[in-house]
């Protein structure tokens, strides 16, 4: 019995219709035809030759090869159910209990065997545990000691895999949480990496993928230079490729592992690609699949992530807003693009869910992104930025968002610099240095802040030491891929202001 036949037999009416609708909406005509053909046979095991003939009108050697490829492909498409309904098999447990209590042992065992096979394949550990416990106890009642022990040993492996997943999540939330003030310490980096690496060869696919993501996330979270390497890109691509091969494996409900990996890929590509290339890649990553349905209940991380990266890229590559009349000189298409992102941010910030869910750190992040787009608008919009950013720093001073200080102050200092308030640039720089002492900072943001500060000090005082400090930043950016934009900024500052 093919895996797709087993899945269809195990689906509830609701989940079957959901899967059929997904296939229909995706234009997957042959997979839909196969699902319907399998479903029409009910619990009777349809012969592969018969199914092949229904789909391809023939069952010769060539058609049989295509049929088995189709069956495998259709099983992979059940990833839609795994993402949106990771417990879609669990309802069968009640069926087994009902059959047992009705005295239909043979039917119950048949259902349980099929259920265990699919639950094992998709790593639905909750369902596996219940079925294995049932089989182990049944074997004990029948005085089949070896069989009972075999089921219990299998169950022990399932429980261990579940524990491994929980341990990874627990470690991430405990040690690498963006709201935790102690999470950004470099001294703990190798300890974190070692913990996640210990799971890289785990028998469970889900454990291997999650630990691989956590390893990459650690380097990104701690702004480690190893994140901005070809090796990191290869690692992230490998994780994405593995997920693509086994999309039917379930992960925790409302955790979008694929999106998390794609977001890290985008963060890495920001440092490597120009604006047009990045926009193309970003759009491809975020549109390559149907967004899981659970996002309708939460703020859309995918949308926020895309806008965040676009804002960061535009600010670093197009942000020469300090030039007189810069905004008015930009092409109409560019100004319309900025206006579109600005409007999108305003709509996101207007969502009442921010207060309802107390998502203050994310609100601060989106507000800062919004201010980045304001900096690339008219001077009237630029003038709004200091009030907005200073308001965030004051109103949310009890909220731990220390890891965002470099982003926040980069935006604020840029605003004061554009407005030619160089005294405020100096004040903000001193606050920034005090608040971020002994904590990890993204080097690109840190050097950007220093560049504006040194330029402001030179404009105010004309002291040669600030010219030398700017040259020092240029030296640091030489041949460093993810710092190229900082080098471009410093050269433009020196050229425009004659430093």
């Amino acid at each position: 019995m093919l895996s797709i036949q087993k899945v269809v037999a195990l689906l509830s009416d609701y989940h079957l219709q959901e899967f059929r609708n997904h296939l229909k909406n995706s234009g997957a005509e042959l997979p839909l035809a196969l699902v319907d053909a399998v479903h029409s046979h009910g619990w009777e095991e349809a012969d592969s030759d018969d199914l092949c003939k229904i789909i391809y009108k023939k069952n010769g050697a060539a058609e049989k090869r295509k049929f088995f490829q189709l069956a495998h492909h259709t099983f992979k498409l059940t990833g839609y159910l795994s993402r949106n309904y990771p417990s879609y098999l669990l309802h069968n447990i009640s069926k087994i209990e009902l059959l047992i209590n009705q005295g239909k042992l043979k039917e119950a065992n048949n259902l349980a065997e099929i259920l265990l096979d699919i639950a094992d394949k998709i790593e639905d550990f909750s369902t596996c545990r219940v079925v294995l416990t049932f089989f182990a106890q049944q074997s004990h009642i029948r005085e089949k000691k070896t069989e009972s022990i075999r089921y219990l040993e299998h169950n022990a492996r399932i429980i261990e895999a579940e524990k491994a997943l929980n341990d990874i999540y627990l470690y991430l939330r405990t040690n690498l949480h963006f709201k935790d003030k102690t999470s950004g310490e470099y001294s703990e980096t190798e300890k974190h990496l070692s913990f996640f690496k210990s799971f890289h060869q785990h028998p469970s696919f889900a454990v291997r993928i999650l630990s691989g993501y956590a390893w990459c996330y650690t380097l990104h979270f701690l702004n480690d230079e190893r994140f901005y390497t070809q090796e990191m890109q290869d690692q992230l691509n490998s994780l994405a490729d593995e997920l693509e091969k086994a999309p039917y494996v379930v992960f925790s409900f409302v955790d979008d592992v694929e999106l998390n990996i794609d977001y890290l890929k985008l963060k890495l590509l920001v440092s490597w690609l120009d604006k047009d290339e990045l926009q193309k890649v970003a759009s491809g990553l975020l549109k390559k699949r149907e967004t899981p349905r659970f996002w309708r209940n939460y703020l859309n991380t995918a949308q926020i992530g895309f806008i965040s990266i676009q804002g960061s890229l535009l600010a670093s590559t197009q942000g020469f807003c300090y030039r007189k009349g810069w905004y008015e000189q930009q092409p109409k298409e560019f100004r319309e693009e900025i206006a579109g992102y600005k409007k999108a941010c305003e709509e996101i910030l207007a969502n009442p869910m921010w207060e309802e869910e107390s998502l203050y750190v994310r609100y601060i992040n989106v507000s800062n992104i919004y201010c980045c787009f304001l900096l690339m608008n008219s001077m009237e919009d630029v003038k709004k930025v200091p009030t907005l950013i200073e308001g965030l720093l004051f109103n949310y001073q009890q909220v731990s968002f220390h890891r965002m200080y470099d982003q926040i102050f980069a935006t604020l200092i840029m605003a004061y610099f554009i407005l030619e308030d160089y005294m405020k640039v100096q004040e903000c720089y001193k606050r920034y240095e005090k608040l971020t002492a002994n904590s990890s900072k993204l080097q690109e943001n840190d050097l950007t802040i220093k560049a504006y500060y040194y330029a402001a000090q030179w404009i105010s005082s004309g002291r040669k030491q600030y010219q030398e400090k700017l040259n020092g930043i240029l030296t640091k950016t030489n041949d460093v891929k993810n710092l190229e934009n900082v080098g471009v900024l410093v050269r433009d500052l020196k050229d425009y202001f004659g430093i």
Side-chain angles (χ1 to χ4, degrees):
M1 194 174 186
L2 298 169
S3 292
I4 188 60
Q5 290 177 273
K6 295 178 181 179
V7 170
V8 172
L10 293 168
L11 292 179
S12 68
D13 291 341
Y14 174 80
H15 291 125
L16 176 63
Q17 193 57 44
E18 277 287 282
F19 188 41
R20 291 187 72 260
N21 289 340
H22 169 67
L23 296 176
K24 184 177 180 180
N25 295 335
S26 303
E29 295 180 6
L30 287 178
L32 178 58
L34 176 58
V35 168
D36 287 343
V38 169
H39 180 61
S40 67
H41 284 78
W43 273 98
E44 296 178 15
E45 184 176 348
D47 184 84
S48 296
D49 285 344
D50 293 339
L51 290 173
C52 180
K53 199 167 185 178
I54 292 173
I55 303 299
Y56 294 108
K57 311 306 179 186
K58 296 180 181 179
N59 58 4
E63 287 76 22
K64 287 291 287 291
R65 280 196 298 273
K66 289 193 293 184
F67 171 76
F68 287 119
Q69 290 173 351
L70 174 64
H72 177 67
H73 175 64
T74 308
F75 178 63
K76 287 179 67 175
L77 294 178
T78 62
Y80 169 80
L81 295 171
S82 296
R83 285 194 303 272
N84 291 284
Y85 306 98
S87 298
Y88 71 87
L89 296 177
L90 200 55
H91 72 99
N92 288 285
I93 299 299
S94 296
K95 287 186 178 180
I96 294 171
E97 293 170 351
L98 180 62
L99 289 169
I100 291 288
N101 291 331
Q102 290 176 338
K104 299 177 181 179
L105 183 59
K106 184 178 179 180
E107 292 93 328
N109 282 329
N110 183 40
L111 173 57
E113 287 170 3
I114 292 173
L115 180 60
L116 179 59
D117 180 60
I118 296 302
D120 233 357
K121 276 188 174 67
I122 71 172
E123 297 197 359
D124 177 356
F125 297 139
S126 298
T127 301
C128 281
R129 279 192 292 102
V130 179
V131 178
L132 286 166
T133 301
F134 159 65
F135 276 142
Q137 187 60 22
Q138 178 175 254
S139 298
H140 173 69
I141 293 173
R142 290 173 164 179
E143 298 184 2
K144 295 183 178 181
K145 175 185 174 183
T146 302
E147 190 176 85
S148 179
I149 291 173
R150 178 164 54 83
Y151 285 125
L152 290 171
E153 288 175 340
H154 188 172
N155 205 20
R157 293 192 294 273
I158 295 296
I159 292 170
E160 191 281 325
E162 268 194 313
K163 183 180 185 303
L165 284 175
N166 189 72
D167 286 347
I168 293 170
Y169 280 118
L170 178 61
Y171 196 97
L172 276 170
R173 306 303 178 246
T174 302
N175 298 285
L176 296 162
H177 196 279
F178 57 85
K179 286 188 178 181
D180 188 353
K181 194 172 184 178
T182 63
S183 288
E185 297 179 0
Y186 283 124
S187 60
E188 300 293 304
T189 302
E190 297 308 320
K191 173 187 169 185
H192 300 331
L193 294 176
S194 178
F195 177 82
F196 296 127
K197 190 175 181 179
S198 68
F199 295 99
H200 284 2
Q201 303 302 318
H202 197 278
S204 163
F205 177 88
V207 172
R208 293 197 303 275
I209 293 295
L210 187 62
S211 68
Y213 159 75
W215 191 90
C216 297
Y217 175 76
T218 297
L219 294 177
H220 167 255
F221 183 88
L222 296 174
N223 297 323
D224 192 289
E225 62 183 14
R226 285 171 288 180
F227 181 76
Y228 301 96
T229 62
Q230 182 62 50
E231 290 74 19
M232 177 57 64
Q233 185 178 37
D234 292 342
Q235 173 73 359
L236 290 170
N237 285 337
S238 176
L239 289 172
D241 289 344
E242 288 299 308
L243 272 177
E244 193 172 336
K245 292 175 186 175
Y248 46 79
V249 172
V250 302
F251 288 86
S252 298
F253 189 43
V254 303
D255 184 21
D256 198 341
V257 176
E258 184 180 13
L259 174 63
N260 294 339
I261 292 171
D262 283 348
Y263 181 70
L264 290 186
K265 289 174 70 174
L266 288 177
K267 292 293 286 185
L268 176 60
L269 291 174
V270 164
S271 305
W272 291 5
L273 303 179
D274 63 26
K275 173 179 173 291
D276 293 335
E277 288 179 298
L278 179 67
Q279 190 165 23
K280 181 179 178 181
V281 173
S283 298
L285 286 174
L286 295 174
K287 294 178 181 178
K288 71 180 183 181
R289 57 167 190 148
E290 187 174 347
T291 302
R293 290 190 168 194
F294 64 75
W295 279 121
R296 67 186 61 185
N297 299 286
Y298 310 99
L299 292 165
N300 192 318
T301 303
Q303 181 190 27
I304 293 173
F306 176 72
I307 293 174
S308 172
I309 287 172
Q310 290 296 90
S312 175
L313 180 72
L314 290 171
S316 60
T317 59
Q318 305 288 330
F320 307 122
C321 324
Y322 46 78
R323 288 174 169 263
K324 297 291 185 183
W326 177 86
Y327 174 72
E328 290 73 18
Q329 296 167 11
Q330 299 308 302
K332 180 182 177 182
E333 295 76 16
F334 177 80
R335 284 183 284 170
E336 289 177 349
E337 180 183 15
I338 296 299
Y341 286 128
K342 175 187 167 187
K343 182 180 179 182
C345 287
E346 290 170 346
E347 291 174 352
I348 293 171
L349 290 170
N351 192 326
M353 197 177 293
W354 294 114
E355 290 297 327
E356 294 171 8
E357 300 292 338
S358 302
L359 300 172
Y360 302 125
V361 175
R362 290 182 184 268
Y363 179 83
I364 293 167
N365 181 43
V366 177
S367 297
N368 186 58
I369 297 165
Y370 174 56
C371 287
C372 285
F373 291 121
L374 290 180
L375 290 179
M376 289 178 277
N377 266 278
S378 65
M379 287 303 293
E380 290 304 310
D381 275 343
V382 174
K383 290 175 183 177
K384 298 175 184 176
V385 173
T387 301
L388 290 171
I389 296 292
E390 295 286 8
L392 293 174
L393 292 170
F394 178 78
N395 294 327
Y396 297 99
Q397 56 187 302
Q398 302 303 318
V399 177
S400 178
F401 61 98
H402 68 287
R403 281 186 43 78
M404 294 174 56
Y405 282 151
D406 56 343
Q407 304 168 44
I408 294 288
F409 277 95
T411 306
L412 182 57
I413 286 174
M414 283 176 65
Y416 281 131
F417 189 89
I418 294 168
L419 295 171
E420 300 180 5
D421 193 339
Y422 303 126
M423 184 61 69
K424 282 290 187 180
V425 171
Q426 181 180 1
E427 291 176 7
C428 286
Y429 179 76
K430 290 180 178 179
R431 287 163 62 193
Y432 163 74
E433 287 290 296
K434 182 178 179 180
L435 288 169
T436 60
N438 302 318
S439 63
S440 65
K441 295 172 276 192
L442 185 64
Q443 190 178 24
E444 183 179 2
N445 289 338
D446 187 55
L447 292 178
T448 298
I449 288 171
K450 285 179 167 57
Y452 280 112
Y453 170 66
Y454 296 152
Q457 289 295 91
W458 186 88
I459 294 170
S460 300
S461 67
R463 292 179 183 175
K464 188 177 180 181
Q465 69 185 74
Y466 295 109
Q467 178 186 2
E468 294 172 351
K469 287 180 180 292
L470 280 171
N471 289 334
I473 292 178
L474 277 179
T475 300
K476 290 181 179 179
T477 65
N478 287 339
D479 301 320
V480 181
K481 187 69 177 176
N482 62 298
L483 297 179
E484 284 183 357
N485 291 330
V486 180
V488 172
L489 169 66
V490 173
R491 292 185 186 91
D492 194 76
L493 285 169
K494 286 169 61 67
D495 177 65
Y496 185 71
F497 292 102
I499 301 176

